[in-house]
Amino acid sequence: MDDKRARFEGQVLPHLDAAYRFARWLCRPGEAEDVVQDAVLRAFKGFDGLRGSDAKAWLLTIVRNCHLTAAMQQQRRAFVPLPEEGDAADGHVMIANDANPESETILSDQKQVLDRLVASLPEEHRTVLMLREIEEMDYAQIAAVTNVPIGTVMSRLARSRAALKAKWLQEVEGSPRAVL
């Protein structure tokens, strides 16, 4: 058991941050931790079945599958969680860490807009976009994680980039412009 644990910690746990980032893009706020925890437990149980050396793609596939399982279970229950008391999702925006609060606010606003626009993409487009741009995975790895052909990965990536660009430009044109 100790040998299995040591091999697991050496091969899989270095990709834990990537698994969490990926889960954050797939899940609703607050659910990513549960999905990653479930994925790591499943990964450890099935670690002997890992073939090859691409532990990151293997772990992210498990994260995706755990997310899909959790989403199906939540649909069956039709449960909508209420926000928790004192939940300050934007509290960090109100505290400036440097001498220029204006630029920090602008960057924070842009990040929030980008997060919202990415979240509005269909799940299959959001998934390939995050795996490519955030996790810097190649097309073959993304195809393995999403279980679709490489050509489908490339077309989804192109469509998601185009849709994100169009939504960004629409957002910029629709917002009030600052007078310089």
Side-chain angles (χ1 to χ4, degrees), residues 158-175:
R159 287 187 192 117
S160 63
R161 286 175 175 161
L164 186 60
K165 180 179 179 181
K167 289 178 183 231
W168 181 266
L169 291 175
Q170 183 180 11
E171 183 79 23
V172 170
E173 290 173 2
S175 65

Side-chain angles (χ1 to χ4, degrees), residues 10-44:
Q11 291 180 2
V12 177
L13 289 188
H15 306 294
L16 197 57
D17 288 340
Y20 179 70
R21 282 190 304 268
F22 183 48
R24 277 190 46 233
W25 285 107
L26 292 175
C27 303
R28 296 177 191 215
E31 294 176 359
E33 295 88 357
D34 293 337
V35 168
V36 172
Q37 183 178 14
D38 188 29
V40 170
L41 288 173
R42 288 184 189 185
F44 185 73

Side-chain angles (χ1 to χ4, degrees), residues 4-169:
K4 178 182 176 181
R5 182 176 177 178
R7 287 185 302 115
F8 181 81
E9 288 177 356
Q11 291 180 2
V12 177
L13 289 188
H15 306 294
L16 197 57
D17 288 340
Y20 179 70
R21 282 190 304 268
F22 183 48
R24 277 190 46 233
W25 285 107
L26 292 175
C27 303
R28 296 177 191 215
E31 294 176 359
E33 295 88 357
D34 293 337
V35 168
V36 172
Q37 183 178 14
D38 188 29
V40 170
L41 288 173
R42 288 184 189 185
F44 185 73
K45 288 177 184 175
F47 183 63
D48 294 329
L50 173 63
R51 303 288 181 248
S53 61
D54 197 359
K56 181 177 182 179
W58 180 72
L59 178 62
L60 294 182
T61 300
I62 296 171
V63 168
R64 180 177 171 267
N65 290 339
C66 288
H67 160 68
L68 293 174
T69 301
M72 287 184 347
Q73 288 174 349
Q74 189 169 13
Q75 267 184 339
R76 281 188 221 130
R77 284 185 257 141
F79 173 73
V80 178
L82 296 174
E84 294 184 20
E85 185 177 335
D87 186 14
D90 296 326
H92 66 281
V93 176
M94 302 177 81
I95 301 172
N97 293 330
D98 67 352
N100 190 347
E102 181 180 8
S103 63
E104 287 291 321
T105 302
I106 290 170
L107 287 174
S108 177
D109 289 346
Q110 289 175 344
K111 183 186 178 311
Q112 287 178 357
V113 168
L114 182 61
D115 287 349
R116 182 173 41 82
L117 295 178
V118 168
S120 73
L121 294 173
E123 183 175 337
E124 62 270 2
H125 291 166
R126 186 175 64 238
T127 299
V128 295
L129 185 67
M130 291 303 105
L131 290 174
R132 178 70 187 127
E133 302 301 334
I134 303 299
E135 298 306 325
E136 298 177 352
M137 296 178 83
D138 62 35
Y139 294 143
Q141 291 173 320
I142 297 170
V145 169
T146 58
N147 197 27
V148 297
I150 291 177
T152 303
V153 168
M154 292 189 295
S155 64
R156 284 182 182 174
L157 187 58
R159 287 187 192 117
S160 63
R161 286 175 175 161
L164 186 60
K165 180 179 179 181
K167 289 178 183 231
W168 181 266
L169 291 175

